[in-house]
Amino acid sequence: MLRALLLILLAAPLLAWAQVSDPTPLQFRDPAQEARFNALTHELRCVMCQNQSLADSNAQIAHDLRREVLQLMNAGQSDAQIKTYLVSRYGEFVLYRPQVERSTWLLWFGPALLLAVGALIVVRVVRRRSAQAVPPADDGQEW
């Protein structure tokens, strides 16, 4: 029993080390591929860090996804195909600019709708106040 526990304790750091991704820097074929990669990873959201792009995140999954994006680019897939692949795995959340669909109408048009409702309320309040009788400016009293 003691040997098994000792063996588990000795093997635990190896398991943690096995989860670290490849530390080698990404290798691009040319500057154009690197620019395309940077543009694409700035449009994708890290699935762990909610408000960071895939390019900016230091999370382990972001490192892994950047490698996967580069592999997909090297496999000849277009940006749309790569985005479709990531959306199929992680959902629309992975896109910073989700497509206009029925489920995202509120996201796309909600701010404009709120602005229109606010403008309508302001116009009604101004019209109501302008319709009220204005008191006379001078009522004849002297101070």
Side-chain angles (χ1 to χ4, degrees):
M1 178 72 178
L2 185 60
R3 283 185 178 182
L5 182 62
L6 186 60
L7 187 60
I8 290 172
L9 288 176
L10 289 174
L14 294 175
L15 293 174
W17 187 65
Q19 293 183 356
V20 174
S21 69
D22 187 8
T24 58
L26 297 175
Q27 300 292 323
F28 300 101
R29 283 184 267 169
D30 53 20
Q33 185 189 35
E34 185 175 357
R36 179 181 162 215
F37 174 82
N38 288 332
L40 184 60
T41 55
H42 277 92
E43 291 181 12
L44 298 170
R45 185 188 317 253
C46 174
V47 294
M48 187 171 195
C49 312
Q50 296 189 357
N51 289 323
Q52 284 186 317
S53 70
L54 200 57
D56 297 334
S57 176
N58 284 325
Q60 187 61 45
I61 193 167
H63 288 275
D64 296 340
L65 285 176
R66 284 194 293 263
R67 289 198 179 282
E68 192 164 351
V69 166
L70 184 59
Q71 287 174 353
L72 292 172
M73 288 174 66
N74 287 335
Q77 293 195 5
S78 68
D79 291 355
Q81 289 172 324
I82 293 170
K83 287 178 185 177
T84 302
Y85 172 74
L86 291 175
V87 166
S88 68
R89 287 183 69 185
Y90 301 106
E92 289 275 334
F93 176 78
V94 77
L95 299 175
Y96 261 121
R97 285 183 274 157
Q99 297 177 357
V100 178
E101 295 175 349
R102 190 176 196 171
S103 63
T104 59
W105 282 356
L106 189 61
L107 176 68
W108 282 101
F109 305 114
L113 182 66
L114 283 177
L115 186 64
V117 169
L120 184 66
I121 290 172
V122 167
V123 166
R124 291 188 71 179
V125 167
V126 168
R127 282 187 179 175
R128 185 176 300 156
R129 287 188 179 180
S130 66
Q132 293 177 351
V134 178
D138 185 17
D139 57 355
Q141 292 184 357
E142 292 185 21
W143 292 88

